[in-house]
Amino acid sequence: MFHALTVITPLIVIFTAAYLTKRAHLLSSKDGSVLLKVCYYLGLPTILFQSVLNVTIDTSLLFLLLLAPIVMIVTLGALYFLRATYLKHVARKTYGSLLIGSVIMNTVFLIPFVERAYGPEGLARLALVDA
């Protein structure tokens, strides 16, 4: 438990500092979008590339490549079942939005947490799931 706290504490401090700078009006919403773009387009690819290069990926991890399609197929199957039973009265456009939204897996915002908690090996595994 203590190890988990020591790993996650720097992220909590960064989020708290960002929140306090916004509350103190040192940063605006426009500044936040610029910082997000810099992190997204420059920082994250660098971290992912370095993590994947430094970790040995063997054949036992290849099942991670199949994990995302399996989750999507199971989710779609469950939604088709729900449509036939409980979601009969939902409008077609709403149901379409539900279908599309349920299979989108945006894991990019997990990257800092996974990297901090599990290191480069965990990040390489996340990259395999997200591939």
Side-chain angles (χ1 to χ4, degrees):
M1 176 70 177
F2 182 71
H3 175 68
L5 287 175
T6 60
V7 169
I8 300 298
T9 301
L11 290 173
I12 294 171
V13 169
I14 289 170
F15 279 109
T16 305
Y19 176 75
L20 292 175
T21 56
K22 182 164 169 106
R23 293 285 294 183
H25 301 292
L26 297 174
L27 293 174
S28 67
S29 295
K30 185 178 179 183
D31 298 330
S33 66
V34 171
L35 288 172
L36 180 64
K37 286 179 183 178
V38 168
C39 290
Y40 184 79
Y41 290 112
L42 297 177
L44 292 179
T46 305
I47 291 171
L48 278 175
F49 187 70
Q50 185 177 5
S51 295
V52 171
L53 279 180
N54 293 335
V55 172
T56 304
I57 300 173
D58 58 354
T59 56
S60 67
L61 297 177
L62 289 179
F63 77 93
L64 291 175
L65 289 172
L66 298 174
L67 191 60
I70 289 171
V71 167
M72 289 179 191
I73 290 169
V74 169
T75 302
L76 286 174
L79 283 174
Y80 283 125
F81 171 75
L82 288 173
R83 176 67 169 176
T85 56
Y86 298 110
L87 300 175
K88 290 180 183 178
H89 304 292
V90 174
R92 186 173 181 190
K93 287 184 179 182
T94 304
Y95 180 67
S97 297
L98 181 64
L99 282 175
I100 292 171
S102 65
V103 296
I104 294 174
M105 295 175 56
N106 187 2
T107 59
V108 73
F109 295 105
L110 291 175
I111 291 174
F113 299 103
V114 170
E115 196 276 329
R116 187 71 185 144
Y118 301 107
E121 186 173 326
L123 202 53
R125 290 179 180 200
L126 178 65
L128 283 175
V129 170
D130 203 25

